[in-house]
Amino acid sequence: MVFSKKIKECDLVIFGTKGDLSKRKLFPALYQLEESLKLYKNTKIIGVGRADWTQEYYKKIIKKYIKKFSYRKFKKKIWKKFSNRLYFCNIDVNKFSNFLKLKKIFKKEKKIKIYYFAIPQNTFKNIFKGLKKINYNYIQDRIILEKPIGNSLETSKKINNQVGKYFQEKQIFRIDHYLGKETILNLLSLKFSNSIFFTNWNKSTIDHIQITVAEKIGIEGRWNYFDKIGQMRDMIQNHLLQILCILTMSPPINLQSNSIRDEKLKILKSLRMINEKNVNKNTVRGQYKSGFFKNKNIPGYIDEINSIKNSNTETFVSIKVNIDNSQWHGVPFYLRTGKRLPLKHSEIVIYFKKNDFNLFNNFKKKLPLNKIVIRLEPNEGIDIFILNKIPKLDSKYELKEIKLNFDYKKTFNKCTLYNAYERLLLESFLGSQSLFVRRDEIEESWKWIDSIINAWNKKKSKLELYTAGTWGPKSSNTLLKKDGRFWNKIK
Ligand code: BG6
């Protein structure tokens, strides 16, 4: 069945309603969209789970999630409107006949169906079959898949093939929530609408780039998931590589989804392979041990609930990455991400090359590199560090590094900084794929990641312990130090 193109209204079905993602992100984001008047009038939000819950009980639980995790103040009037959209559907995905229950909720209304898979990947196959059974996957319907898709190139291909049997690429929305962050979206405008940046965004002017995504939290009771995945697959394969792609890609021919994704793919294809020969030189893997930070005892990774004491899983990674194309050849990119670091802090730091000749040699022997710091979190903004003459009456050129600062909240004080899930859910309702990841991007990034993980396994790469509340293993500093560089100091 194909509806007329005029039909835009949709229903959202969330598989995995009881999970952490639904609780912390999806329902709060949907409630926020309700408050912003962004939900279609008749959209139903159907939570699927295996529980004997009444509709009232389900609504009570969702209300609790929203009160706890929404950044907006809870308002009774908004909740009333929102709760009227909520339906709970008790489905055991192994029993295809259970899917008939969805039919009763959908009724015969002509609406696009969006299926959000916030559920382990080994259940996908049965869900597809169940939906097929009740004839609920039409060409206008969509499916949203959470990352990581698989845990290697092979497994991600398997999942993509499986999904591909039931849905076409234009129906598949692979989420990477970092692509929905305002500061990441702004990278395109920063680079391509400002000629001072556009003309300087390459190896002739840039010395190196650092990307840090630091988390203060540990694994928050997700040991069973995390221990099989590790920080490399949980964060680098998706979030950090996507940031790197957006940051370094050439201008797309237009802003349509495939044009943007084509350019990102080129970057992924240009990543220099890290293998057994160069893995130790270019990567650092760490795991946090217990620490005492800000008057608190913090448990080590192997002390977390449900842990296995001899786990070899990394909770910290830093990597030196090279992009072998004509724009970036010779510019190193240093990526680091870890759990139980001192702060929740994400930033991109772009260091510009030093001047060949120092005119101010008599006053300042070594000129620091100019840098741009793009802060993703907290206090989203951009700082540009330049040298300035200290105002004085004498004729000396005393130079001081100063900061030109742009702060989102101050500059755009009348605008809301929407969170990533609000934006991405809305984009999926509108059917726009530009903020979602295409199959070939996922597979290309796995190719690169697999090579590193295989090299780690073959070389039995050392897992370095770092104390919770610090910036990771010492070797992470050495990675830069041996190139005569340092991580940007984060305060
Ligand atoms: C998720 C990872 O994708 O991103 C988590 O699975 C991580 O381990 C989270 O904590 C970080 O997201 P954010 O938006 O809080 O930086």
Side-chain angles (χ1 to χ4, degrees):
M1 181 172 28
V2 182
F3 302 154
S4 133
K5 283 214 165 114
K6 278 191 198 137
I7 294 186
K8 294 210 165 45
E9 287 244 359
C10 59
D11 285 336
L12 177 68
V13 182
I14 302 178
F15 290 98
T17 296
K18 286 156 69 190
D20 214 46
L21 181 75
S22 302
K23 189 175 2 183
R24 287 172 190 271
K25 304 283 187 191
L26 302 183
F27 284 103
L30 289 163
Y31 170 82
Q32 285 147 208
L33 286 174
E34 179 80 89
E35 194 177 342
S36 312
L37 304 174
K38 295 288 186 200
L39 296 182
Y40 295 111
K41 193 166 152 240
N42 295 315
T43 290
K44 290 176 183 165
I45 299 170
I46 302 145
V48 174
R50 248 169 85 172
D52 210 2
W53 289 353
T54 61
Q55 300 302 331
E56 282 63 42
Y57 186 70
Y58 169 63
K59 289 183 184 184
K60 207 170 125 188
I61 298 240
I62 303 293
K63 190 174 178 182
K64 218 165 85 187
Y65 294 169
I66 290 167
K67 280 190 167 172
K68 189 157 177 201
F69 295 110
S70 171
Y71 68 83
R72 299 263 179 96
K73 220 172 131 201
F74 184 82
K75 290 185 188 143
K76 275 191 185 154
K77 205 169 132 201
I78 309 292
W79 167 250
K80 196 167 170 226
K81 198 168 158 203
F82 184 71
S83 63
N84 281 336
R85 302 177 181 278
L86 298 177
Y87 295 81
F88 181 68
C89 196
N90 178 6
I91 291 185
D92 176 348
V93 296
N94 301 312
K95 295 188 183 141
F96 302 142
S97 59
N98 277 195
F99 283 77
L100 290 169
K101 296 182 195 171
L102 276 178
K103 252 187 161 169
K104 278 195 195 146
I105 302 175
F106 290 153
K107 299 200 177 124
K108 287 214 162 114
E109 295 162 338
K110 279 194 173 175
K111 274 189 272 176
I112 294 166
K113 306 283 178 280
I114 303 183
Y115 304 104
Y116 200 122
F117 283 43
I119 192 164
Q121 295 172 354
N122 56 10
T123 59
F124 285 12
K125 200 169 166 186
N126 282 352
I127 299 178
F128 296 139
K129 284 190 177 163
L131 291 175
K132 180 105 183 144
K133 182 104 187 151
I134 56 163
N135 278 334
Y136 267 111
N137 79 47
Y138 301 128
I139 193 67
Q140 63 276 353
D141 294 343
R142 296 169 200 147
I143 166 177
I144 306 178
L145 299 177
E146 263 298 327
K147 52 122 299 232
I149 311 274
N151 57 15
S152 63
L153 176 61
E154 195 190 330
T155 50
S156 77
K157 272 189 173 168
K158 213 164 142 189
I159 292 169
N160 280 328
N161 286 342
Q162 208 174 66
V163 183
K165 272 195 205 157
Y166 301 90
F167 294 87
Q168 295 178 18
E169 188 62 33
K170 64 176 182 200
Q171 298 174 275
I172 306 170
F173 290 65
R174 297 181 191 81
I175 242 181
D176 182 317
H177 76 277
Y178 268 61
L179 292 181
K181 294 190 187 238
E182 188 63 51
T183 41
I184 299 294
L185 279 167
N186 187 46
L187 285 177
L188 292 191
S189 27
L190 188 74
K191 280 165 48 173
F192 300 135
S193 70
N194 298 297
S195 62
I196 49 165
F197 295 130
F198 182 62
T199 50
N200 286 304
W201 215 258
N202 55 50
K203 65 180 181 198
S204 332
T205 44
I206 291 181
D207 179 80
H208 76 281
I209 294 185
Q210 302 179 4
I211 302 176
T212 295
V213 177
E215 292 185 83
K216 197 172 169 192
I217 53 168
I219 42 151
E220 307 289 289
R222 296 190 304 155
W223 221 87
N224 287 340
Y225 156 78
F226 190 85
D227 199 58
K228 286 186 213 97
I229 293 285
Q231 194 74 354
M232 185 69 153
R233 295 183 176 105
D234 188 47
M235 297 294 288
I236 303 261
Q237 184 269 336
N238 32 79
H239 305 325
L240 277 92
L241 282 187
Q242 284 293 324
I243 299 177
L244 183 69
C245 286
I246 303 268
L247 189 68
T248 56
M249 70 187 219
S250 299
I253 53 169
N254 54 37
L255 289 175
Q256 280 164 18
S257 25
N258 277 335
S259 311
I260 294 177
R261 294 173 331 164
D262 286 347
E263 294 307 324
K264 286 196 286 164
L265 183 66
K266 286 185 199 160
I267 295 295
L268 291 166
K269 286 186 169 177
S270 318
L271 296 180
R272 188 179 300 166
M273 278 298 185
I274 297 180
N275 49 33
E276 279 177 75
K277 284 189 203 132
N278 55 6
V279 73
N280 286 346
K281 212 170 97 197
N282 292 309
T283 66
V284 175
R285 55 193 298 266
Q287 186 188 81
Y288 61 87
K289 59 180 183 182
S290 62
F292 189 71
F293 184 65
K294 292 201 173 159
N295 296 329
K296 263 194 192 161
N297 277 320
I298 305 171
Y301 178 65
I302 54 164
D303 309 319
E304 300 270 3
I305 305 160
N306 294 332
S307 66
I308 301 166
K309 300 298 167 206
N310 61 355
S311 167
N312 185 38
T313 300
E314 78 287 348
T315 59
F316 178 97
V317 179
S318 45
I319 318 186
K320 180 177 170 182
V321 182
N322 284 284
I323 298 176
D324 284 330
N325 68 14
S326 56
Q327 190 179 354
W328 294 111
H329 184 77
V331 179
F333 295 82
Y334 300 94
L335 275 45
R336 72 172 161 173
T337 174
K339 311 243 182 265
R340 290 283 190 220
L341 301 188
L343 304 168
K344 169 117 183 107
H345 186 102
S346 305
E347 65 174 28
I348 300 165
V349 189
I350 298 139
Y351 285 88
F352 289 85
K353 286 191 165 151
K354 68 172 195 283
N355 276 342
D356 288 343
F357 176 72
N358 181 2
L359 181 64
F360 304 95
N361 196 34
N362 291 343
F363 307 103
K364 205 168 178 79
K365 285 265 171 287
K366 206 171 165 220
L367 303 179
L369 302 186
N370 292 145
K371 64 179 177 193
I372 301 180
V373 179
I374 302 170
R375 250 187 338 278
L376 315 184
E377 185 162 17
N379 309 325
E380 293 92 329
I382 302 176
D383 295 334
I384 303 183
F385 290 82
I386 56 167
L387 286 170
N388 207 78
K389 179 184 167 303
I390 301 176
K392 273 186 186 169
L393 266 186
D394 61 33
S395 56
K396 282 186 188 155
Y397 273 88
E398 240 185 282
L399 302 178
K400 186 175 160 46
E401 188 176 61
I402 56 133
K403 181 169 91 177
L404 308 175
N405 165 257
F406 149 62
D407 184 313
Y408 269 87
K409 288 193 183 120
K410 275 189 207 147
T411 307
F412 295 113
N413 57 5
K414 296 214 164 61
C415 303
T416 307
L417 271 183
Y418 293 100
N419 76 21
Y421 276 95
E422 278 174 282
R423 184 187 312 281
L424 294 175
L425 281 164
L426 185 60
E427 290 290 305
S428 72
F429 297 163
L430 299 171
S432 163
Q433 287 185 309
S434 48
L435 303 183
F436 295 84
V437 188
R438 207 168 56 191
R439 173 176 183 159
D440 46 8
E441 289 178 74
I442 299 269
E443 295 185 356
E444 206 54 49
S445 56
W446 274 124
K447 219 187 268 177
W448 191 75
I449 296 286
D450 277 2
S451 172
I452 301 179
I453 294 180
N454 289 340
W456 277 351
N457 292 340
K458 283 196 187 138
K459 282 244 162 189
K460 299 204 172 24
S461 278
K462 204 170 120 206
L463 182 73
E464 286 180 59
L465 296 181
Y466 62 96
T467 307
T470 65
W471 284 103
K474 285 203 180 79
S475 306
S476 170
N477 294 334
T478 320
L479 186 73
L480 276 76
K481 222 173 174 178
K482 59 190 184 204
D483 293 344
R485 301 184 173 110
F486 300 91
W487 288 110
N488 186 42
K489 255 206 181 111
I490 297 170
K491 286 167 209 148

